[in-house]
Amino acid sequence: DTAVSQTPKYLVTQMGNDKSIKCEQNLGHDTMYWYKQDSKKFLKIMFSYNNKELIINETVPNRFSPKSPDKAHLNLHINSLELGDSAVYFCASNLGAGIYNEQFFGPGTRLTVL
Amino acid sequence: AQTVTQSQPEMSVQEAETVTLSCTYDTSESDYYLFWYKQPPSRQMILVIRQEAYKQQNATENRFSVNFQKAAKSFSLKISDSQLGDAAMYFCAYRSARGAQKLVFGQGTRLTINP
């Protein structure tokens, strides 16, 4: 029983295309996140939603648009893909504040833009 | 803004030995949390250990322990009795205790275990 799942796990596409990555959590958490891990393994927050409301929007090109249809889902749509978008994208979730409300990560989606 | 720095891109250790991974951070906040995450080749992010800034006692989880020096803004991870399965990327991370719950990560340290 997967806690945080992402689809697809691998995505290979051409420059200029539009693609989506989906994330679902079955933990009953109220906050979800998207992180990007670049080719040097550096992890950085992109977005966060709490109860379907956007609460973190870091400096990310507006070609990236997150959508949260409900508390359990957070999708990431990317328009006009560029070579620099190639990375691993991680979804994560947690339940509110507090040190023991750790973030659970999905398995990641490796996006390759050709 | 908070920053986290891991100055050791790579470390290696003999199996069964002890290794320490370094992490420093910068923040103006007084209340925050610190974490070490492990990322094996499978890519999965796994929480190793956590520390609350207001607790002076260093956290311990089995073979993993931290040396938390709040004044120095230092948070190192010690792995005792290293095992082959400990080979992974290790990330130090900061999270504010208030407001947005985002994790701020260091650059990572790749740990190799030599048999």
Side-chain angles (χ1 to χ4, degrees):
Chain A
D1 52 343
T2 305
V4 182
S5 60
Q6 293 179 229
T7 52
K9 287 208 172 81
Y10 298 92
L11 185 53
V12 181
T13 188
Q14 298 287 330
M15 260 196 325
N17 284 350
D18 302 340
K19 290 292 178 187
S20 292
I21 306 171
K22 296 187 176 186
C23 177
E24 176 182 3
Q25 54 92 5
N26 62 5
L27 298 165
H29 289 165
D30 57 2
T31 307
M32 297 184 73
Y33 309 80
W34 279 113
Y35 290 88
K36 177 180 179 181
Q37 185 172 42
D38 64 22
S39 58
K40 295 183 179 177
K41 302 290 188 184
F42 186 62
L43 273 153
K44 189 169 162 51
I45 184 75
M46 298 175 71
F47 302 104
S48 176
Y49 270 77
N50 177 264
N51 283 322
K52 301 193 295 177
E53 181 184 347
L54 181 66
I55 56 172
I56 295 175
N57 185 353
E58 294 287 299
T59 309
V60 177
N62 57 15
R63 297 182 294 103
F64 289 78
S65 51
K67 280 192 173 56
S68 181
D70 55 57
K71 278 195 337 180
H73 295 84
L74 179 60
N75 303 324
L76 183 65
H77 187 76
I78 315 170
N79 289 326
S80 304
L81 278 155
E82 300 177 357
L83 293 176
D85 297 333
S86 295
V88 179
Y89 293 85
F90 284 96
C91 178
S93 72
N94 73 338
L95 182 66
I99 190 170
Y100 293 103
N101 292 328
E102 66 187 82
Q103 290 186 20
F104 287 79
F105 283 79
T109 296
R110 180 178 293 280
L111 171 64
T112 302
V113 182
L114 303 174
Chain B
Q2 297 83 24
T3 58
V4 178
T5 302
Q6 293 177 247
S7 58
Q8 305 155 316
E10 296 184 354
M11 292 282 285
S12 64
V13 64
Q14 256 347 87
E15 195 177 359
E17 297 294 308
T18 295
V19 64
T20 298
L21 308 184
S22 301
C23 172
T24 58
Y25 60 93
D26 191 29
T27 184
S28 58
E29 298 177 328
S30 58
D31 198 10
Y32 51 87
Y33 310 128
L34 297 165
F35 304 86
W36 278 97
Y37 280 86
K38 170 184 176 181
Q39 186 180 40
S42 67
R43 212 165 66 199
Q44 184 66 49
M45 294 292 289
I46 301 164
L47 178 64
V48 174
I49 199 165
R50 68 192 103 196
Q51 175 80 41
E52 293 172 89
Y54 70 84
K55 282 192 176 175
Q56 291 188 340
Q57 186 175 8
N58 289 323
T60 300
E61 288 286 344
N62 301 314
R63 298 181 296 108
F64 297 87
S65 61
V66 298
N67 183 1
F68 173 49
Q69 302 288 328
K70 191 172 184 180
K73 294 181 181 167
S74 168
F75 182 61
S76 60
L77 175 70
K78 185 171 86 170
I79 306 174
S80 304
D81 185 26
S82 298
Q83 300 175 0
L84 294 177
D86 295 333
M89 284 288 291
Y90 284 81
F91 293 95
C92 180
Y94 172 103
R95 197 180 99 200
S96 176
R98 303 184 199 291
Q101 298 294 301
K102 67 178 182 181
L103 289 165
V104 178
F105 288 94
Q107 304 91 325
T109 297
R110 182 177 301 280
L111 178 64
T112 302
I113 312 293
N114 301 313

